[in-house]
Amino acid sequence: MTRLAVGVDIGGTKVAAAVVTDDGTVVARATSPTPTQELGSGAVEDALVGVITELGAAHSVEAVGIGAAGLVADGRVLYCPHLPLRGEPVAQRVSQRVGLPVVLDNDANAAALGEARFGAAREAAVAVCVNLGTGIGGAVLAQGHLLRGANSLAGEFGHMTISPDGLPCECGRRGCWEQYASGRALERLVPGQRGAEITAAAGSGDVAAVSGLAEVGRWLGLGLANLVAAYDPDLIVVGGGVSDADVLLLDPARAALAQQLFASAWRPPVPVVRAVLGVDAGVVGAAALALGLG
Ligand SMILES: [Zn+2]
């Protein structure tokens, strides 16, 4: 019998939700705008309850999984620069209001789990997953399970320092990887256009757009070389909006990875592939967590 869960992805601009089966199929969707900082945590909870209630009314779901950017542990978002959540017990409060079990996790963890169960990382022994959106989300999968760290805070690759005196970051430090290899970095390199427009222009041969993506790809490859040195993965999965640029981003990244990786001549090459679940990775992975498939 097919089991159903609601998976929710709290993004910077919208709260995306879907009813997902236990084989990773999306059967219904709902969205709501992400409340702004000024509206506070209550507004975020109201938005979550709204989409979950809408989907739950039409489908027999057994649980809810929610992915949110930032540091997430024990059902709380401890810190996220883009959301008005600072330690509130979101999972518990939403669970009480919708009458279903609710699990809350980091959005990149959810996306990586989606790829592990239903996507690009199904066969990997150790997979490093990076999500290039506005910033960089990350996760490591070992034998299909998330490597969470002692405090459930592992995988914040976007804030690895890659240039100590480099560009300022929202986290208050300088030279974080996500300032160089993300959608924000791409928009800085190719001013006046949004990331999706830059990718479209690059596809039509626009020189500035191609060059911007190649620059982001080089920084991506440099960071990946560090991650390969640390984790020895057999697969790297790149997701998020910027990965839509495909080879225009990934080929420069692959070249930089090969060039920068410690002892690369004496180790097997690590494939760098695109995530296959696309924009659904977050909701599908969150639902998988809710169904106990983590
Ligand atoms: Zn940072």
Side-chain angles (χ1 to χ4, degrees), residues 158-159 169-173 176 178-179:
H159 299 282
C169 183
E170 282 76 12
C171 73
R173 300 178 311 121
C176 291
E178 71 174 32
Q179 296 304 322

Side-chain angles (χ1 to χ4, degrees), residues 126-294:
V126 176
V128 165
C129 302
V130 294
N131 249 25
L132 307 189
T134 308
I136 297 179
V140 175
L141 294 156
Q143 274 72 44
H145 296 285
L146 290 162
L147 200 65
R148 293 180 170 281
N151 301 290
S152 300
L153 304 179
E156 291 293 333
F157 305 143
H159 299 282
M160 296 189 308
T161 305
I162 209 154
S163 178
D165 300 314
L167 296 165
C169 183
E170 282 76 12
C171 73
R173 300 178 311 121
R174 283 187 173 272
C176 291
W177 189 27
E178 71 174 32
Q179 296 304 322
Y180 299 85
S182 65
R184 190 188 294 114
L186 181 61
E187 290 171 15
R188 192 188 69 243
L189 289 164
V190 190
Q193 296 182 73
R194 306 298 298 269
E197 296 164 357
I198 298 167
T199 299
S204 312
D206 180 278
V207 174
V210 170
S211 153
L213 279 164
E215 177 73 3
V216 169
R218 281 191 288 276
W219 283 103
L220 174 61
L222 172 60
L224 292 177
N226 291 337
L227 292 171
V228 171
Y231 292 106
D232 183 26
D234 55 346
L235 185 69
I236 294 167
V237 181
V238 181
V242 186
S243 70
D244 290 346
D246 202 354
V247 292
L248 294 173
L249 173 81
L250 296 186
D251 279 352
R254 290 168 179 134
L257 168 60
Q259 192 177 39
Q260 300 285 347
L261 177 58
F262 162 69
S264 63
W266 287 273
R267 57 198 304 158
V270 187
V272 178
V273 303
R274 277 179 75 187
V276 301
L277 297 179
V279 293
D280 282 338
V283 294
V284 169
L289 278 164
L291 292 171
L293 304 176

Side-chain angles (χ1 to χ4, degrees), residues 10-15 32-48 82-84:
I10 311 177
T13 57
K14 70 173 181 180
V15 176
S32 171
T34 301
T36 55
Q37 291 278 1
E38 308 80 69
L39 293 173
S41 63
V44 177
E45 286 164 25
D46 289 345
L48 291 168
H82 318 294
L83 295 172

